Amino acid sequence: MTWFLSAGNRHLAPVQLFCLPYAGGGASVFRRWQDGLDPDIEVLPVQLPGRENRISENPVFRVADVAYAIADRIRGPYAIYGHSMGGRVGFEAIRELRRAGRPLPLRLYVGGARAPHITGSSHFDGLSRLDDDELLRRLEAGGGLPAGLLDYPELVDLLLPLLRADFGRVDDYRYIPEEPLPMPIVAFSGRSDTAVSQESCAGWREHSAAGFTLREIDGGHFFLNERLPDLLAAIRADLATARTDAAPHHG
């Protein structure tokens, strides 16, 4: 199984950034990230099953499988970025790694993602229970589909099982309380995001025992496409701080 698409040849970079896509998205969502970050960061987009080069696989996946795929690629300090659904997948993957006693990231970055304990406040709730036409209509209205996608019915047919599986995951998610995470969480919120409110993003504060930052980015729910340089600049600066803080100090 191919869990990662390398976004560039940075195998000796001292820090790794694992990236998890939004519902219906694949690893190609992050194809421009490597060029926008420092050479000392290796971007590793996670390719979840059922999309792009894994389109023939069942799109239903277990978070534990994602967690251990990441664990097998860790070489040293790393961070995780998850957008929308990917934020919760990243959060649950870290909790799985903690339970297994595996190395944990310096940071969890979440973009356009509701805090895990917050329910029923998103335009994208309940989509898996709708018929195909209504699902697509609601997604498009909420800015949850790439522009022009509905003009390609054969592509839509290919994507529908994946969208149903991903939104089924969103609808069926149940938060189970555990200790807050031992690393800082940085949440990014789109100023004009109509799908996930800033308040829902701010709720991530409760899930870190090591500090929380909420950063506003211009743009809607998909600010990672609309305002990528702004997002990457913020991640780049924060990761530099995280690595400095984590470096051993010699007295």
Side-chain angles (χ1 to χ4, degrees):
M1 282 186 287
T2 312
W3 279 99
F4 301 99
L5 285 193
S6 178
N9 189 9
R10 303 283 168 91
H11 295 309
L12 299 175
V15 66
Q16 295 168 298
L17 178 63
F18 295 92
C19 300
L20 293 154
Y22 44 79
S28 67
V29 166
F30 303 104
R31 67 186 175 277
R32 290 159 52 212
W33 283 47
Q34 186 66 78
D35 291 339
L37 288 168
D38 294 337
D40 57 358
I41 298 169
E42 180 190 6
V43 176
L44 286 155
V46 179
Q47 189 67 289
L48 300 172
R51 51 211 91 201
E52 297 175 354
N53 62 324
R54 299 184 69 182
I55 191 82
S56 61
E57 296 176 45
N58 184 337
V60 178
F61 61 89
R62 297 186 326 136
V63 165
D65 294 336
V66 178
Y68 293 120
I70 290 173
D72 288 345
R73 283 298 289 267
I74 295 167
R75 274 196 329 271
Y78 74 102
I80 290 177
Y81 177 91
H83 200 85
S84 201
M85 175 192 81
R88 284 188 176 176
V89 173
F91 171 73
E92 291 295 347
I94 293 170
R95 299 210 301 176
E96 179 71 32
L97 293 174
R98 176 169 64 179
R99 289 191 287 267
R102 306 298 275 273
L104 299 181
L106 300 173
R107 291 283 192 278
L108 170 61
Y109 298 112
V110 293
R114 275 182 299 174
H117 64 286
I118 293 176
T119 56
S121 61
S122 168
H123 183 88
F124 298 142
D125 282 329
L127 292 186
S128 67
R129 326 259 194 258
L130 304 174
D131 65 39
D132 291 352
D133 290 344
E134 184 64 10
L135 164 64
L136 293 167
R137 193 193 68 72
R138 282 266 297 275
L139 257 186
E140 188 177 43
L145 284 181
L149 177 72
L150 296 185
D151 297 337
Y152 300 94
E154 57 290 339
L155 196 55
V156 171
D157 288 345
L158 207 58
L159 267 179
L160 267 169
L162 168 58
L163 291 169
R164 289 212 164 278
D166 281 359
F167 285 108
R169 171 177 295 278
V170 172
D171 289 337
D172 296 340
Y173 178 81
R174 296 294 175 267
Y175 170 66
I176 298 166
E178 282 179 25
E179 288 293 307
L181 297 181
M183 80 287 303
I185 296 176
V186 180
F188 297 97
S189 173
R191 282 202 175 88
S192 51
D193 188 344
T194 55
V196 177
S197 69
Q198 191 181 96
E199 191 181 3
S200 297
C201 293
W204 284 95
R205 181 184 310 277
E206 293 180 27
H207 299 282
S208 170
F212 171 76
T213 310
L214 179 65
R215 302 286 298 268
E216 276 191 302
I217 303 274
D218 284 333
H221 187 60
F222 292 100
F223 57 80
L224 82 168
N225 299 330
E226 302 159 19
R227 309 293 299 210
L228 183 60
D230 298 354
L231 176 60
L232 294 184
I235 291 175
R236 194 166 56 234
D238 186 77
L239 253 186
T241 305
R243 286 171 56 207
T244 305
D245 291 349
H249 296 287
H250 301 291

